[in-house]
Amino acid sequence: MKNKVTFLFGAGAEGEGNYNMPSGITYFYDTFLSDDFNNKIGEQLKTIMTERTFSEWVDEYKYRQNHINNKNLIYSAILRKGIILFCRTIESFKTDYKNDIISILTNDQLEEFYDESEIKEVKEKNSNKTDFDKELKTLLSKVNEKFEISRISPVLKPFFYNKAGILKFDESKLSISTAGVLDSYFHTIINPSKYGKVKFSIIMNYYWACYTCIVNYMIKNNKAYFSKKLDVDVSDNNECLILSRLEEVDKIISNMEPEDFNCNDDTYYNLIRARLCDKESNYSCCGILTTNYTPYVKDCVNDESKLVYLNGRIGLFEIPDITSINTLSGTLDSNRIFFPYVLGQSYVKPIINRTQIETYHRAVHILSETDCLIIIGYGINDDDSHINALIRDFTLSKANAKVIIVCRNESENDLRKKLRTNGGKMEIVHWQNKSNSEVIADVFNLM
C-alpha cells in the first residue's frame, strides 16, 4: 500500500531559487509601504471604479483613493508590538524602561505588565514623557541614512542597529508585517458607509496592492512570455499596465500552464513532481494545500482538482456588498465595487463567502486521508493561526500522523510550541546551506 502524503506550501516555496516571488518582509515593503500605490496604482484604480457603487441596498459609497502607506502609523504599531513582546519575555526590560513604556503603550496594553496605581503614578509624575510619535517620525526619516544610534531613546534602541554608520531596523526583533494593523478594519467590508469609508478604502486598496505586487513579479520574472501575449515590452514596474489591461492580464494568467512558467528544473515543485510521477514511487499524493496565490503550484501535480488555495488566488475577485467570490468576467458583469480575492498579512482572516468555507472543508477532508504532511516554505507564525489549527488537528487526529517541516534552523521543540501540540511524529529538515535537490531528497528519505 502506498504512503498517503499531502504537501502544504507557503511563500518560501515560490521565493528565491524557485520562482523568485516576494515573501515576508519583501512582500510587506512592496505592498503596504509601496509608494507605487499612491503614485500610480491609485489613479488607475480610480478609473476602473469611478462608475461603480458599493451597493444598491445600503447608503451610497464611491471609491476613495486613501493612502495605505502611512509609514508612521504602521511602524509605530510594529514597534509597539516589539515593546510588548520584550515586556513579556525580558523582565528587566519592563522594569528598566518603565517610565518610557508607560508613555508609549495604551492603558489596556499596560495593564498586562503594571498595576493600575503604578500606571497612574508614573503618568502623573512623568511630565517630560517620551514623545514617541515625534521621535519615531525622526527615526523613520533617518532609516537607511547616517545616524548615531546613541541618539535613540534606550527603550527603542534594541529595535535598531548601525551598519557602517547607516541606521537600520533590526528585523530579527520585530514582526514586520501588516498583521494586527488592518485586522480591526475588516468589519467595514460589511457596510463602509455605516462602519467607516476611509478604513474600508484602506482595506480595499491594500488588497489591490497585494494583487498588483504578485502579478507584477510574475510578469517581470517572465518578460518574454508576457511581452508576446500583451504585444508590448513589459518592464520591472507594470502596475499601471496590469490595471489598464486587467481583463487581458487575468486571462493570460488563467490560461498559463507549467510549460509557460519561466523557471529552472530544480524548483521544489518540479523536484517533487518528478518523484511522485516515478513509477517506482511508493507515495500517493492526497492533495496540495497552498497559501500562495499564483498558478505556479500546478508544476507540482497533474490533477488540478487536488489543489487547495487556502488564502485566495489570482483569478478570483470579491464583491463585498453581496459577499460573492467569482472570476473577473463574472465580477465585471456587476456594477459593484470589487477587489481581488487575496488574503493579506493579518492575524485573522475575514470569512465572507461559502467558497472559503468549502475550501477549508476540502483541506480537512484531504488531511483526514493523509498519513504524512510535508510543509515547505510555510513559516509557522501568528499570521496564519487558522492554518496552524489545521496542522495541529492533523497531528492529533491519528496515532500514526507524521509531519515533516522544512525550515531554516528551528528545532522540533520550537515548532511544537508554535503549533501548541505534542501529537504525532515530527521530523525537521533544515534548508540552510542546501540545494533544493538536497532538501527534497532529505524530505523523501524521511517519508
Side-chain angles (χ1 to χ4, degrees), residues 52-149:
R52 295 178 175 273
T53 60
F54 181 83
S55 173
E56 62 182 280
W57 306 104
V58 299
D59 292 340
E60 192 69 12
Y61 168 85
K62 290 285 187 181
Y63 173 72
R64 289 170 170 244
Q65 190 184 324
N66 288 99
H67 292 197
I68 61 170
N69 64 345
N70 185 328
K71 296 182 183 182
N72 196 52
L73 171 68
I74 301 309
Y75 275 112
S76 65
I78 288 171
L79 283 166
R80 283 187 172 95
K81 285 194 290 182
I83 290 169
I84 290 170
L85 178 61
F86 269 45
C87 285
R88 287 173 179 159
T89 56
I90 305 172
E91 187 68 29
S92 60
F93 183 83
K94 68 178 182 181
T95 303
D96 294 345
Y97 305 122
K98 180 171 72 174
N99 287 6
D100 284 338
I101 293 169
I102 288 176
S103 72
I104 291 171
L105 301 184
T106 61
N107 280 349
D108 60 325
Q109 293 168 335
L110 291 168
E111 286 171 3
E112 181 180 343
F113 311 112
Y114 307 106
D115 293 335
E116 186 178 345
S117 59
E118 202 173 3
I119 298 169
K120 185 177 179 181
E121 180 184 358
V122 170
K123 286 195 171 186
E124 287 176 351
K125 290 182 178 180
N126 193 10
S127 57
N128 297 317
K129 68 176 184 178
T130 302
D131 191 342
F132 174 68
D133 292 323
K134 184 177 179 180
E135 180 176 9
L136 179 62
K137 190 174 182 180
T138 300
L139 290 174
L140 285 176
S141 68
K142 299 299 181 182
V143 169
N144 296 324
E145 294 183 9
K146 284 196 172 184
F147 191 80
E148 289 295 330
I149 201 163

Side-chain angles (χ1 to χ4, degrees), residues 154-386:
V155 70
L156 296 179
K157 199 175 291 183
F159 307 109
F160 295 86
Y161 71 96
N162 269 130
K163 185 176 182 180
I166 304 299
L167 186 67
K168 299 281 186 181
F169 275 107
D170 190 341
E171 294 164 347
S172 67
K173 296 176 181 175
L174 291 168
S175 175
I176 307 287
S177 79
T178 58
V181 178
L182 295 182
D183 305 45
S184 62
Y185 295 1
F186 286 153
H187 68 289
T188 63
I189 292 173
I190 300 168
N191 184 342
S193 294
K194 184 176 181 180
Y195 297 113
K197 295 179 180 180
V198 172
K199 290 180 178 179
F200 169 76
S201 68
I202 290 173
I203 288 286
M204 176 178 172
N205 293 338
Y206 171 60
Y207 286 147
W208 277 107
C210 291
Y211 176 86
T212 54
C213 172
I214 294 297
V215 174
N216 183 59
Y217 268 87
M218 291 185 68
I219 292 175
K220 73 178 184 179
N221 291 338
N222 201 345
K223 288 181 180 178
Y225 179 82
F226 280 94
S227 292
K228 182 179 179 180
K229 290 290 184 180
L230 292 168
D231 194 25
V232 64
D233 289 333
V234 300
S235 66
D236 286 344
N237 300 291
N238 305 285
E239 291 83 3
C240 290
L241 173 67
I242 292 165
L243 292 175
S244 64
R245 300 177 66 175
L246 184 61
E247 289 182 83
E248 293 173 82
V249 171
D250 177 72
K251 186 175 181 180
I252 291 168
I253 293 175
S254 296
N255 292 330
M256 287 182 81
E257 295 298 333
E259 58 266 23
D260 301 319
F261 304 150
N262 183 27
C263 62
N264 299 320
D265 291 335
D266 63 347
T267 64
Y268 286 140
Y269 294 164
N270 281 326
L271 291 168
I272 291 169
R273 181 172 182 157
R275 285 181 175 263
L276 292 176
C277 291
D278 187 337
K279 291 180 180 179
E280 302 299 319
S281 170
N282 191 37
Y283 314 106
S284 171
C285 182
C286 296
I288 306 286
L289 314 181
T290 180
T291 64
N292 298 314
Y293 314 124
T294 75
Y296 290 140
V297 72
K298 291 194 288 186
D299 257 346
C300 194
V301 65
N302 290 316
D303 185 357
E304 285 190 44
S305 67
K306 292 185 177 182
L307 299 180
V308 179
Y309 290 86
L310 296 172
N311 280 351
R313 68 176 178 87
I314 300 298
L316 293 180
F317 296 82
E318 302 182 28
I319 298 177
D321 171 39
I322 53 175
T323 62
S324 72
I325 296 174
N326 208 334
T327 60
L328 182 60
S329 59
T331 302
L332 290 175
D333 289 342
S334 165
N335 194 39
R336 291 180 171 93
I337 281 173
F338 65 97
F339 50 78
Y341 174 44
V342 290
L343 303 181
Q345 296 173 321
S346 59
Y347 287 134
V348 295
K349 311 296 184 189
I351 301 295
I352 64 155
N353 182 268
R354 64 178 290 173
T355 298
Q356 291 163 296
I357 297 169
E358 289 169 352
T359 294
Y360 280 86
H361 181 265
R362 284 183 61 208
V364 170
H365 175 71
I366 287 171
L367 289 172
S368 71
E369 298 185 330
T370 299
D371 299 317
C372 181
L373 173 63
I374 300 99
I375 301 172
I376 300 177
Y378 172 75
I380 296 169
N381 54 53
D382 294 335
D383 288 15
D384 288 303
S385 57
H386 59 307

